[in-house]
Amino acid sequence: MTDVRLIELPPPTTTWSLLLHGGAGGRVEELAVAGDGPYADGLRAAWRAGAAVLSAGGSALDAVGASVEVLEDDPLFNAGRGAALTAAGTAELDACVMSGDGRAGAVAASRHARHPVAAARRVRDEGRAVLLVDPPVGAVERWGLERVDGSWFVTPARQQQLARVTRRELEPARHGTVGAVAVDASGHVAAATSTGGMVGQSEGRVGDSPIVGAGTYARDGVVAVSCTGEGEAFLQGLVAADIAARVRYLGADLATAVRDTVAAELAPRGASGGLVAVRPDGSGVVAHSSPAMYAAYADGGRLVTLT
């Protein structure tokens, strides 16, 4: 991740701000979608879901959850239904939410909740744990979440992709995650991230998305960050927390913090990916080094999508 493409966004005219991503790395050939239109439609739908929460005075935490749930239901993105499959052909889903007050919740290898990000939110709200691995059916039912069979997440397109990887006709994609960051009218920030992981991964493999400080981080008065990319590098570099630390302790502006973290933690590992981040004043960045970065954000009152 040496050549960073970075879009800096000034504070918005609204009292809130929302940025989201649909993953980095490029389109999946097996999804057989002509053009970028369907991707842009999915990103716009997700952004509007979060924006509706914020414009009604809702919290940043509720907003990022609403945005990510829409992307989890869209099979074009690697989260929820249509997520990348493990070597065994199953879906093991990871998600994390974190609010600016320092409270977080996450799930790894989730198999029963239709919306893993909602399960992560319940973990946070209960406060008895931060990370739950393979939360059981009973927990999903206790939380009042919609339960689905594991086959619901599996799509023919992802099965075809896995078959090609297994036959070594295709290199396993190491990108693909969805996430959102927001600041609400009260100035609180939040982040949420959700993923199906890497196609053909070993059962039980967990990347950076559900790990606080690696793929997801938020702190009031500082920043909220959601990452996508080569999970092992983001894990070892604690990328999200490192960006926040540069802003918080060194007084770096957000763009500089992102560039310096990439140079220090990702470039030496030869990793690529991207992220979205927002400051309490609503300013933000969209950054990536991968061939593509799916994202949505408002710029001067206009909704922009990257596909």
Side-chain angles (χ1 to χ4, degrees), residues 151-254:
S151 62
W152 188 87
F153 301 109
V154 180
T155 63
R158 290 297 186 179
Q159 290 176 318
Q160 182 181 355
Q161 181 191 38
L162 176 61
R164 292 188 65 196
V165 168
T166 302
R167 293 193 300 265
R168 299 185 178 180
E169 299 172 0
L170 183 72
E171 284 295 316
R174 300 186 64 84
H175 308 82
T177 295
V178 306
V181 294
V183 56
D184 57 35
S186 298
H188 299 299
V189 299
T193 312
S194 180
T195 189
M198 183 175 66
V199 61
Q201 68 182 24
S202 299
E203 293 176 274
R205 180 257 183 191
V206 176
D208 65 302
S209 297
I211 306 302
V212 174
T216 311
Y217 192 77
R219 180 173 288 274
D220 281 342
V222 184
V223 72
V225 185
S226 175
C227 302
T228 172
E230 300 182 42
E232 282 68 22
F234 280 77
L235 264 170
Q236 293 174 99
L238 283 176
V239 169
D242 193 75
I243 291 169
R246 292 174 187 276
V247 173
R248 185 180 183 188
Y249 299 118
L250 300 182
D253 65 85
L254 186 53

Side-chain angles (χ1 to χ4, degrees), residues 262-277:
V262 166
E265 301 297 340
L266 295 182
R269 295 183 170 94
S272 65
L275 60 91
V276 291

Side-chain angles (χ1 to χ4, degrees), residues 73-118:
D73 279 344
D74 190 328
L76 289 178
F77 300 95
N78 182 10
R81 181 166 171 78
L85 303 179
T86 68
T90 59
E92 295 186 351
L93 311 171
D94 303 335
C96 180
V97 300
M98 187 170 187
S99 50
D101 61 1
R103 297 173 63 196
V107 294
S110 177
R111 298 179 294 123
H112 306 294
R114 173 176 174 173
H115 293 119
V117 73

Side-chain angles (χ1 to χ4, degrees), residues 25-154:
R27 285 186 289 175
V28 176
E29 179 182 341
E30 287 73 22
L31 296 181
V33 174
D36 294 327
Y39 291 92
D41 290 344
L43 292 167
R44 281 192 288 265
W47 190 90
R48 287 168 179 154
V53 172
L54 292 165
S55 62
S59 71
L61 186 61
D62 286 343
V64 294
S67 287
V68 169
E69 283 193 16
V70 172
L71 293 172
E72 288 178 336
D73 279 344
D74 190 328
L76 289 178
F77 300 95
N78 182 10
R81 181 166 171 78
L85 303 179
T86 68
T90 59
E92 295 186 351
L93 311 171
D94 303 335
C96 180
V97 300
M98 187 170 187
S99 50
D101 61 1
R103 297 173 63 196
V107 294
S110 177
R111 298 179 294 123
H112 306 294
R114 173 176 174 173
H115 293 119
V117 73
R121 172 68 185 269
R122 295 302 190 277
V123 173
R124 173 203 174 272
D125 292 349
E126 280 193 347
R128 292 186 289 182
V130 173
L131 173 64
L132 287 184
V133 178
D134 190 14
V137 170
V140 175
E141 293 176 343
R142 185 180 76 250
W143 293 330
L145 301 179
E146 183 176 354
R147 173 189 166 190
V148 294
D149 183 82
S151 62
W152 188 87
F153 301 109
V154 180

